[in-house]
Amino acid sequence: MAAKLSRKKRVKRRRLPFSTVRNRYLRWGLRIVVGFFMLTVVWVLALRFVNPPVTWLMVQRGFERQGEGKTWKITKDWLAYDALSDNLKRAAMAGEDARFTEHWGFDREAIVDAYQRNKTGGKLRGGSTISQQTAKNVFLWPGRSWVRKGFETYFTLLIELLWSKKRILEVYLNVVETGDGLYGAEAAAQYYYGKSAKSLTKRQAALLIAVLPNPRRWSPVKPTAFINRKANTIVRYMGHSRIP
């Protein structure tokens, strides 16, 4: 009798066929992918109309300041697209993404140029567009990895599809890090120039954009020779920038 019960238990515990297990995992995998897609589409659509209140970078910088014995500081003040100075919009395009209004999120020429320059050695240069930087700043965590780059590509495609170019540029200019604890053009303009980003001159706008690669190291009011040269170049090309 005990032997019969043992055989019955072994029959009940028999492993499922591989095809059944595979199909089960495939179904769960598909559900996860579809759920992620739906969630991110809703998220991106919501931020087309609602201004993002905070970003991962802002939170990280806040903790870094606390670790250095400083107070938590996030200074930002949102300006709508039409309120932002046209000088600032042109400076951003001239300094960061000259073909912003022409591409769909990725500037092939800039990527190829960056690749060729990086092959020669020296300091690495990126080919990120304003759209890519906006996707990175708003939706992703700071850092460098292939996984993060994949998500950046995905969110770049989404915002290009679901947002207007005006909205992308507006969000970029309002969330980008512009100094120690400063985020967005308005906070930077008030801090450095004592005026609103509504009324920046060409030179002031160019200097704000020129320091963006490392705004905690460089200052637009105390520009190095390098920053001055970069700002001069930005001013020179601002006239070619056709803002959206």
Side-chain angles (χ1 to χ4, degrees):
M1 187 68 177
K4 288 183 179 179
L5 288 173
S6 179
R7 281 197 297 273
K8 286 182 179 180
K9 288 180 180 179
R10 285 199 296 270
V11 170
K12 289 180 180 179
R13 294 173 183 174
R14 186 176 55 187
R15 292 182 178 180
L16 294 172
F18 174 75
S19 59
T20 302
V21 176
R22 180 194 61 195
N23 291 339
R24 183 175 295 176
Y25 279 111
L26 285 175
R27 285 196 297 271
W28 274 105
L30 182 60
R31 289 172 185 169
I32 292 171
V33 170
V34 171
F36 172 79
F37 176 74
M38 293 177 64
L39 177 64
T40 52
V41 167
V42 171
W43 188 11
V44 173
L45 270 175
L47 292 186
R48 176 180 177 178
F49 306 101
V50 179
N51 299 330
V54 71
T55 68
W56 280 104
L57 181 62
M58 294 176 190
V59 174
Q60 177 177 307
R61 293 289 192 244
F63 281 116
E64 288 175 356
R65 286 180 60 86
Q66 286 188 324
E68 296 169 357
K70 302 177 182 177
T71 57
W72 183 288
K73 178 184 177 183
I74 297 178
T75 305
K76 58 188 180 68
D77 191 3
W78 197 279
L79 279 187
Y81 180 84
D82 291 334
L84 290 163
S85 165
D86 285 350
N87 286 331
L88 183 63
K89 298 168 192 172
R90 291 192 173 92
M93 292 177 60
E96 299 287 289
D97 188 357
R99 286 176 282 273
F100 173 66
T101 57
E102 302 169 16
H103 62 64
W104 283 83
F106 307 93
D107 188 340
R108 181 179 175 277
E109 292 182 33
I111 294 172
V112 171
D113 179 62
Y115 173 73
Q116 294 297 334
R117 289 174 180 270
N118 294 340
K119 278 203 311 183
T120 63
K123 189 175 181 179
L124 294 179
R125 288 188 53 175
S128 294
T129 62
I130 286 175
S131 301
Q132 288 175 271
Q133 294 180 60
T134 303
K136 173 183 66 177
N137 289 336
V138 174
F139 299 100
L140 301 174
W141 63 96
R144 292 176 179 271
S145 70
W146 287 109
V147 171
R148 185 178 173 282
K149 197 66 178 177
F151 280 122
E152 178 187 309
T153 300
Y154 172 72
F155 279 107
T156 298
L157 292 171
L158 276 188
I159 65 174
E160 280 284 344
L161 181 65
L162 301 175
W163 294 3
S164 66
K165 287 288 187 180
K166 287 184 177 182
R167 179 58 174 171
I168 294 173
L169 187 56
E170 175 190 350
V171 173
Y172 173 72
L173 290 173
N174 277 285
V175 302
V176 66
E177 186 178 30
T178 49
D180 186 16
L182 301 175
Y183 302 91
E186 178 66 5
Q190 294 286 358
Y191 180 79
Y192 292 118
Y193 303 126
K195 64 192 300 187
S196 173
K198 300 176 182 179
S199 55
L200 291 173
T201 65
K202 287 184 178 181
R203 178 69 179 172
Q204 289 170 338
L207 284 167
L208 282 183
I209 298 300
V211 303
L212 288 187
N214 198 337
R216 294 191 299 165
R217 174 186 175 188
W218 294 313
S219 168
V221 291
K222 296 179 180 179
T224 63
F226 168 73
I227 293 299
N228 265 321
R229 288 195 301 271
K230 187 175 179 182
N232 290 338
T233 301
I234 290 173
V235 170
R236 190 161 61 248
Y237 285 99
M238 282 172 63
H240 303 290
S241 300
R242 298 180 60 185
I243 58 177

